[in-house]
Amino acid sequence: MDDLIKEYEGIIPGKLLEDIKRESKEQSLIKKQVKIVLDKVKEEYENAKIDPGEAIGIITAESFGEPSTQMVLRTFHFAGVAEVNVTLGLPRLIEIFDARKIPETPSMEIHLKSEYKNDPKQVRKIASLIKETKLEDISREFTVNLVKSSIEVSLDRELMRELSITPTLLVDSVQNSLKTVSVKYKDDDALVIKSKSPEGELSDIYRLKEKAKNAHVKGIKGVTQVVPVKTGNEYVIQTAGSNVREVMEIKEVDVENVLSNNIFETAEVLGIEAAKETIIREAVKVIENQGLDIDIRHIMFIADVMTATGNIKGITRAGITSEKESVLARASFETPIKHIINASIIGEVDSLNSVVENVMVNQAVPLGTGLPGLLAKMSAKLEKEDKKKK
Amino acid sequence: MTDVFYDDKFVGNVDNPQQFVEQVKEQRRSSKLPKALNVYYDDLYNEVYISTTTGRAQRPLIVVRGGKSLFTEDLAQKLRNNEITWGYLVEQGVIEYLDAAEEENALTTLSEEELTPEHTHLEISPILLLGLVSSLVPYGNHTNPVRLEMGTKVYKQALGIYTSNYLQRYDTDCSLLYYPQIPILQSFMYDILDYAKHPSGQNVVIAVMSYEGYNMQDSIIINKGSIDRGFGRSTYYRPYIAEELRYSGGLVDEVGIPDKEVKAYRTEADYRYLEKDGIIYPEADVKADEALIGKTSPPRFLGEVEEFSIAASTRRESSVVVRHGEEGKVDMVVLTENEEGNKLVQVRLRDERIPEIGDKFASRHGQKGVVGMIVPEADMPVTSTGIKPDIIFSPHSLPSRMTVNHILEVLASKVGALSGKYIDGTCFDATPEEELRKQLLTLGFREDGAETMYNGITGELMKVRVYIGNMYYLKLQHMAANRLHARASGRIQLLTRQPIEGRAKGGGLRLGEMEKDCLVAHGAALLLKERFDSDKVIVHVCEKCGTLAIYDEYRKKQFCQKCGTGTDITPIELSYAFKLLLDEMRALNVYPKLILESKY
């Protein structure tokens, strides 16, 4: 039986072979029957292959373009779970395919290790660990003392206790994030911040005050909101703000299941394949949310194109369009003069291998019926060669 | 202390604003102050505004005092007997006009039963919440507001008698409907409007059913017999104007049959209808591009004398010709002069428009559609009493649009047609459905309006009963004849050698970027190439330097301007637009070299 299946390796994908192996064992099929199954699968697999010369790029573009015209009408809708707002709809789709460095609403979906994920109390505790607390969040008032050129921060004791922030921890972390200041804790729940550098300008102290407000106290930088959400029978932490690297360092977190919607961050921390999956996941999320139906293979194709170079390239003139081989194709898509002049400087040759160039010069495009050429044995000499001899 | 403003100017203070405002109102009601004066107390800012300026929209309301309407049954009776007038009621302070500001202080209600002591006014009729045209839609309270609005929109596009003196007028793009009728189902607004003097639709028999699939997606099917009897016919008028303009240097335009020497002379046949004065005669049957008014103009620039021209005259032809794609009969010719004393010739063309496939029709409920098929009368379905519908309307147009009034109109008009009465369909105040059903039953029909029908083609009895009745239908401005457009070859642009754009100029229909993508997606490469062949040219390319060479057709010689005659010169096929791009690049000091290769 295994020999028979081995014969089909390379003809049918491994995943399908495994499925057949398992199923035929379960159904206790005999060799003859398995052979029939394999042949049928092979036939179907061959049928599913795309023909040479099929214009998959344009079909993908049309498959996206048509439904997204309907999406325009429903733009600027936000949706999300419990207080975490997430950009969706056309703006998000544009954001993904343009490969913007930072999404408008970065967010994460953090799954926890199996010991913790079913206990709401534990989950809430972990969530509070992740949420970033700034000095501003636990203080009542910021007062500038011009005489002593210091800043006094009156603290909210209750909040501090709730977030389990001790005075020592507070002093340390404020010291760390502000660097060139001395931080002192006074007994009456106040923090005195004083600049170490000698008498500066008056505006410096105000600038320091603004800086002090944003001083990092606790939690993970960039994560502004945390909401534990029950999905199925486990609890998942949804966040606003994304910081994959630091979240993965928390020991309770299931490292394999930290999902960020920031493509570039994912690429940096987890590599380009993860970024590709992120693009697919995020695009599918938008499309499903809008109730549209676009085949996932179109999205996979776009994600492949965007990440093929190892870097993330958007579908813009700076992104994948600049990768095109043909000068004319590049020139026909935004900033033509730039491309023509640059091509003339280095003497680029356009061999008219793709669609746009051939449309421009009014030749058959190398796709579909325009793709096949004719090979023939020439018994007579070409006219031109005859002329040359004369 | 409350500030008082008179026409936005501060005039003084009052201690008791409410009382003050009441006093002003009382004085207005008793005609001591003008009826156009309005007073408004703003309790938020504690200010009183009195306005007498122009430009404020006012609307009439019945005054209510102590929860009792001042318009008593006694007054109503007198009004019915024509003993008193509207003016009298306004004079007596029974009805007063409020502006937008004073409305803020008023509490109104729609019906007399709802009145409480707090109310200050009573609406004259609930239909007043609709506009003029929306109140023409019968049973307007039985429809989706979106459709009500579409109904009004469509009403404005309906053909009819738009003015009584249309024969004396020279309106552009106007039509006149033959045999316009007043609807069986009306609202009271039809009387107020004097609708009978300028009706804009016709009463037809409509069957709600499908027919061979030709009334899909809002299209309708029309009975050929109805068209032959005059349904939906209209005349389309278009005026043409020519003026003898004066130019500097004493030069003038000249109306007359152009001389053959004249520049841009058309063919002799184009001028055949012109009389000696150069103007066409009435009732001439003209086709597109034929001259209506012969005219020549002086040369555009003074001193534009062509050196090698033998002809003495250098005048240009500038006749007024029938628009591209249009035709008709000359309806009227007017010879006059304009304010500047220039000779002015006006010619009006008339064209009979018989309903054809693609013409747009609509009911008064925003149910608009184009004609999908015109069926011979013999093939139309027929009821047991021998009634053949004029229009077959698709039932799929009803449920999603929720235009219940469309269904009610069929029922109401059927009752009206059978009993020879006009039915009142005024919004909120119409003849109730139960009443209509009862009447229909007593007239000997099924109360639900459905009837047994027979297939007109096979004569078979239809398995279901069909909802059939009368309706008022409008023919809309948009006619297929005004939109129809196609071309094979024709004028091209000078620069790109591509076909020109626009229906009026006989241009092409552009196969644009997205259409191109469609052909590519289908892999139809050679079809795509053929579509873009409109500007193809054969150019000769020097294989040595890769630029365009010259081929002398006359001497059968080819040479490259740069490399001389010794090089290989090959003809290739290109789109002219690309040749233009190469030329433009050369103008940018970029040298685009063509490297030729055998295609096979």
Side-chain angles (χ1 to χ4, degrees):
Chain A
M1 186 89 79
D2 284 351
D3 294 345
L4 180 69
I5 286 173
K6 210 159 211 174
E7 268 177 47
Y8 283 86
E9 262 174 25
I11 302 170
I12 299 171
K15 173 81 168 54
L16 284 178
L17 280 180
E18 266 171 44
D19 286 353
I20 293 166
K21 211 171 176 178
R22 199 186 58 239
E23 281 294 316
S24 53
K25 219 168 260 167
E26 262 174 42
Q27 308 283 332
S28 57
L29 299 179
I30 58 164
K31 202 170 178 182
K32 215 172 175 183
Q33 289 170 312
V34 177
K35 171 90 176 146
I36 296 169
V37 171
L38 282 166
D39 283 340
K40 189 80 193 157
V41 169
K42 185 188 159 193
E43 195 189 320
E44 288 294 322
Y45 183 66
E46 290 295 324
N47 280 344
K49 274 188 179 169
I50 286 174
D51 300 322
E54 187 80 80
I56 50 167
I58 286 200
I59 291 170
T60 296
E62 287 183 345
S63 305
F64 263 98
E66 195 274 329
S68 58
T69 49
Q70 294 170 35
M71 251 200 275
V72 179
L73 305 171
R74 298 178 258 177
T75 317
F76 306 119
H77 275 194
F78 291 94
V81 204
E83 290 165 30
V84 183
N85 269 326
V86 186
T87 318
L88 277 174
L90 198 65
R92 175 66 185 144
L93 214 55
I94 292 169
E95 201 173 83
I96 297 166
F97 294 139
D98 279 2
R100 303 253 170 86
K101 278 266 146 53
I102 296 156
E104 204 176 303
T105 49
S107 71
M108 279 187 292
E109 191 181 307
I110 304 165
H111 293 253
L112 301 174
K113 283 190 181 145
S114 49
E115 316 77 289
Y116 310 100
K117 69 180 177 192
N118 294 319
D119 183 1
K121 254 186 204 163
Q122 290 266 24
V123 173
R124 214 165 290 139
K125 205 179 148 200
I126 300 161
S128 72
L129 266 172
I130 294 169
K131 189 183 173 170
E132 183 183 16
T133 311
K134 289 175 178 173
L135 188 53
E136 190 182 23
D137 299 332
I138 49 162
S139 53
R140 282 210 196 89
E141 203 181 357
F142 280 74
T143 343
V144 176
N145 191 329
L146 286 175
V147 184
K148 292 182 189 161
S149 72
S150 68
I151 300 159
E152 272 175 44
V153 186
S154 75
L155 298 163
D156 189 332
R157 191 81 223 214
E158 299 264 307
L159 257 175
M160 277 175 70
R161 203 174 297 129
E162 217 169 275
L163 296 164
S164 56
I165 297 168
T166 56
T168 20
L169 178 102
L170 181 68
V171 170
D172 280 357
S173 51
V174 172
Q175 183 79 63
N176 264 338
S177 60
L178 290 178
K179 304 266 155 38
T180 58
V181 291
S182 67
V183 183
K184 259 181 223 150
Y185 186 79
K186 284 207 303 199
D187 290 336
D188 53 339
D189 291 338
L191 209 62
V192 181
I193 302 169
K194 204 171 177 182
S195 182
K196 272 180 191 165
S197 53
E199 299 285 304
E201 299 255 333
L202 196 63
S203 59
D204 286 348
I205 189 104
Y206 282 101
R207 213 171 294 143
L208 185 65
K209 181 184 147 197
E210 289 309 310
K211 252 172 118 185
K213 275 185 184 170
N214 283 319
H216 176 78
V217 177
K218 195 187 162 236
I220 289 170
K221 270 185 193 163
V223 181
T224 53
Q225 263 182 38
V226 195
V227 182
V229 182
K230 192 168 186 181
T231 45
N233 46 11
E234 67 166 311
Y235 284 89
V236 172
I237 300 170
Q238 296 264 5
T239 68
S242 174
N243 193 338
V244 178
R245 180 165 281 149
E246 288 186 30
V247 167
M248 285 172 112
E249 281 166 11
I250 297 171
K251 69 172 196 313
E252 291 92 343
V253 167
D254 178 8
V255 180
E256 284 172 26
N257 272 312
V258 178
L259 310 174
S260 167
N261 73 348
N262 188 335
I263 302 159
F264 279 85
E265 196 189 319
T266 310
E268 199 190 304
V269 180
L270 298 168
I272 196 74
E273 286 292 332
K276 195 190 103 184
E277 290 303 317
T278 308
I279 294 172
I280 297 170
R281 194 182 62 237
E282 289 298 313
V284 167
K285 211 193 271 174
V286 174
I287 287 152
E288 279 179 355
N289 172 274
Q290 298 277 317
L292 302 174
D293 184 28
I294 300 176
D295 196 299
I296 192 163
R297 276 165 286 190
H298 295 307
I299 305 160
M300 287 161 73
F301 177 53
I302 292 186
D304 267 344
V305 171
M306 285 175 72
T307 52
T309 55
N311 295 313
I312 300 159
K313 294 242 149 117
I315 301 165
T316 57
R317 64 163 174 252
I320 58 161
T321 311
S322 68
E323 303 277 300
K324 280 189 186 170
E325 187 200 307
S326 159
V327 198
L328 292 174
R330 266 180 280 135
S332 74
F333 180 88
E334 293 179 12
T335 59
I337 293 165
K338 194 182 96 189
H339 285 290
I340 289 169
I341 289 173
N342 285 342
S344 78
I345 290 168
I346 58 168
E348 239 178 281
V349 177
D350 192 322
S351 44
L352 307 183
N353 281 333
S354 190
V355 178
V356 196
E357 310 92 277
N358 280 292
V359 171
M360 284 171 85
V361 296
N362 195 21
Q363 296 293 325
V365 292
L367 275 174
T369 53
L371 188 66
L374 191 63
L375 274 179
K377 223 176 222 171
M378 299 292 252
S379 54
K381 272 172 191 160
L382 281 171
E383 204 188 320
K384 208 195 264 172
E385 281 166 24
D386 279 352
K387 250 195 273 171
K388 267 181 191 163
K389 273 174 194 163
K390 275 173 201 168
Chain B
M1 285 285 263
T2 305
D3 291 347
V4 179
F5 295 85
Y6 179 81
D7 284 347
D8 293 336
K9 273 194 209 100
F10 175 73
V11 285
N13 297 305
V14 288
D15 289 327
N16 191 339
Q18 300 282 12
Q19 194 192 342
F20 172 74
V21 167
E22 278 314 310
Q23 275 172 3
V24 174
K25 282 183 185 168
E26 266 330 302
Q27 298 216 3
R28 180 182 63 202
R29 283 169 192 164
S30 54
S31 296
K32 281 174 190 150
L33 285 170
K35 301 286 180 194
L37 177 143
N38 285 109
V39 62
Y40 160 57
Y41 172 56
D42 185 342
D43 53 0
L44 186 67
Y45 291 99
N46 195 25
E47 282 165 349
V48 171
Y49 295 94
I50 301 169
S51 320
T52 60
T53 49
T54 53
R56 291 167 298 123
Q58 287 184 305
R59 69 190 197 94
L61 287 165
I62 298 169
V63 179
V64 170
R65 203 164 277 156
K68 285 262 159 59
S69 162
L70 291 190
F71 185 65
T72 55
E73 190 47 46
D74 183 39
L75 284 170
Q77 194 54 47
K78 276 184 179 168
L79 198 63
R80 261 177 238 126
N81 298 339
N82 279 331
E83 284 166 35
I84 53 170
T85 58
W86 175 271
Y88 174 81
L89 293 174
V90 176
E91 193 67 29
Q92 294 299 304
V94 176
I95 286 169
E96 67 178 353
Y97 288 88
L98 302 193
D99 73 347
E102 193 172 331
E103 264 185 346
E104 295 291 324
N105 289 156
L107 180 66
T108 73
T109 181
L110 285 171
S111 72
E112 210 165 342
E113 293 83 59
E114 287 171 12
L115 283 178
T116 63
E118 281 85 56
H119 282 103
T120 60
H121 294 88
L122 174 67
E123 296 283 351
I124 294 166
S125 161
I127 202 176
L128 285 176
L129 73 90
L130 298 177
L132 179 81
V133 190
S134 355
S135 48
L136 293 180
V137 177
Y139 289 103
N141 49 331
H142 289 271
T143 192
N144 180 347
V146 175
R147 289 284 148 181
L148 182 68
E149 198 223 15
M150 281 171 89
T152 67
K153 231 176 216 167
V154 136
Y155 220 138
K156 292 177 210 167
Q157 297 171 13
L159 303 184
I161 299 178
Y162 68 102
T163 170
S164 329
N165 64 341
Y166 59 91
L167 282 174
Q168 271 74 53
R169 296 169 65 97
Y170 272 72
D171 297 307
T172 27
D173 197 42
C174 72
S175 299
L176 215 70
L177 185 71
Y178 293 7
Y179 312 116
Q181 299 171 345
I182 54 171
I184 298 169
L185 179 66
Q186 302 188 344
S187 76
F188 88 101
M189 203 51 105
Y190 283 75
D191 297 331
I192 295 171
L193 267 182
D194 237 344
Y195 188 76
K197 281 192 176 166
H198 53 87
S200 51
Q202 287 165 326
N203 291 299
V204 295
V205 175
I206 182 175
V208 181
M209 61 183 286
S210 67
Y211 187 91
E212 305 283 311
Y214 283 92
N215 57 352
M216 284 192 283
Q217 291 277 320
D218 279 343
S219 51
I220 55 166
I221 284 168
I222 299 192
N223 185 340
K224 178 81 170 31
S226 317
I227 293 172
D228 293 343
R229 278 175 238 120
F231 169 70
R233 288 187 187 223
S234 61
T235 302
Y236 182 74
Y237 290 104
R238 182 182 293 283
Y240 291 86
I241 298 164
E243 194 185 343
E244 276 193 351
L245 284 171
R246 288 166 201 282
Y247 303 93
S248 58
L251 297 163
V252 282
D253 283 343
E254 224 170 73
V255 172
I257 301 173
D259 201 71
K260 278 185 185 167
E261 317 289 277
V262 129
K263 237 167 104 183
Y265 183 77
R266 289 160 188 277
T267 59
E268 210 166 332
D270 285 342
Y271 301 105
R272 73 198 136 136
Y273 295 117
L274 301 189
E275 295 192 308
K276 264 179 274 168
D277 58 359
I279 303 165
I280 201 160
Y281 56 89
E283 297 306 314
D285 216 335
V286 285
K287 300 254 165 339
D289 295 324
E290 289 179 337
L292 295 169
I293 305 159
K295 200 178 82 176
T296 56
S297 301
R300 229 168 273 191
F301 308 103
L302 222 58
E304 186 198 306
V305 184
E306 270 160 56
E307 287 174 47
F308 305 106
S309 166
I310 316 156
S313 159
T314 52
R315 293 182 71 82
R316 275 181 305 122
E317 126 76 85
S318 58
S319 300
V320 174
V321 297
V322 179
R323 273 183 169 223
H324 187 86
E326 289 184 13
E327 55 177 41
K329 275 204 161 89
V330 177
D331 191 53
M332 185 155 74
V333 176
V334 169
L335 247 166
T336 177
E337 60 179 35
N338 67 4
E339 315 86 72
E340 288 154 37
N342 295 335
K343 186 176 181 183
L344 186 73
V345 187
Q346 289 187 310
V347 175
R348 188 172 63 199
L349 229 57
R350 131 173 75 82
D351 189 20
E352 187 183 16
R353 295 285 168 85
I354 301 162
E356 56 179 327
I357 290 174
D359 283 1
K360 199 173 176 184
F361 285 82
S363 70
R364 287 174 288 177
H365 317 287
Q367 289 283 13
K368 51 186 194 274
V370 293
V371 178
M373 184 158 70
I374 294 168
V375 177
E377 185 154 30
D379 290 343
M380 284 302 263
V382 58
T383 68
S384 49
T385 48
I387 298 289
K388 287 177 175 172
D390 298 304
I391 283 175
I392 297 178
F393 180 85
S394 170
H396 292 293
S397 307
L398 291 167
S400 58
R401 280 85 185 262
M402 297 182 281
T403 52
V404 179
N405 55 349
H406 190 276
I407 305 170
L408 285 172
E409 178 175 353
V410 175
L411 205 65
S413 297
K414 193 172 182 176
V415 171
L418 290 167
S419 56
K421 288 185 301 196
Y422 289 113
I423 310 288
D424 184 19
T426 307
C427 193
F428 302 113
D429 203 16
T431 321
E433 189 194 340
E434 296 75 43
E435 175 71 25
L436 294 170
R437 281 171 176 265
K438 230 178 269 167
Q439 287 190 34
L440 202 56
L441 202 61
T442 52
L443 285 162
F445 283 79
R446 282 177 62 89
E447 61 157 4
D448 63 2
E451 281 181 49
T452 309
M453 286 190 101
Y454 296 87
N455 185 319
I457 302 169
T458 63
E460 283 172 305
L461 182 77
M462 287 184 182
K463 284 190 181 128
V464 288
R465 278 182 287 270
V466 175
Y467 191 59
I468 183 169
N470 293 65
M471 226 183 164
Y472 192 61
Y473 246 77
L474 315 166
K475 187 189 187 187
L476 307 186
Q477 260 177 8
H478 314 285
M479 281 166 282
N482 291 340
R483 308 245 160 142
L484 193 73
H485 176 48
R487 98 164 208 179
S489 53
R491 284 167 64 192
I492 52 163
Q493 276 166 8
L494 191 67
L495 185 70
T496 59
R497 296 205 187 164
Q498 286 168 1
I500 54 163
E501 217 182 303
R503 190 182 101 95
K505 288 176 274 180
L509 288 164
R510 190 184 156 84
L511 186 104
E513 198 76 17
M514 295 173 94
E515 289 78 10
K516 175 213 82 183
D517 288 347
C518 273
L519 291 181
V520 173
H522 278 88
L526 301 174
L527 172 65
L528 177 69
K529 184 190 172 294
E530 199 174 276
R531 285 284 92 193
F532 284 139
D533 271 351
S534 67
D535 66 338
K536 84 169 173 193
V537 282
I538 306 273
V539 291
H540 293 257
V541 177
C542 168
E543 293 210 33
K544 192 180 166 201
C545 64
T547 52
L548 301 191
I550 293 162
Y551 177 68
D552 189 334
E553 191 87 41
Y554 187 61
R555 280 179 223 138
K556 299 270 180 268
K557 266 186 183 170
Q558 50 191 19
F559 61 96
C560 173
Q561 279 186 303
K562 195 172 154 222
C563 317
T565 46
T567 56
D568 281 338
I569 287 165
T570 318
I572 60 162
E573 193 188 293
L574 275 182
S575 66
Y576 190 82
F578 186 69
K579 192 229 141 207
L580 192 72
L581 175 74
L582 297 179
D583 290 343
E584 283 184 9
M585 279 197 236
R586 247 169 250 131
L588 268 175
N589 263 342
V590 171
Y591 170 27
K593 186 176 174 180
L594 297 173
I595 304 163
L596 301 189
E597 220 175 78
S598 175
K599 223 165 141 188
Y600 305 106

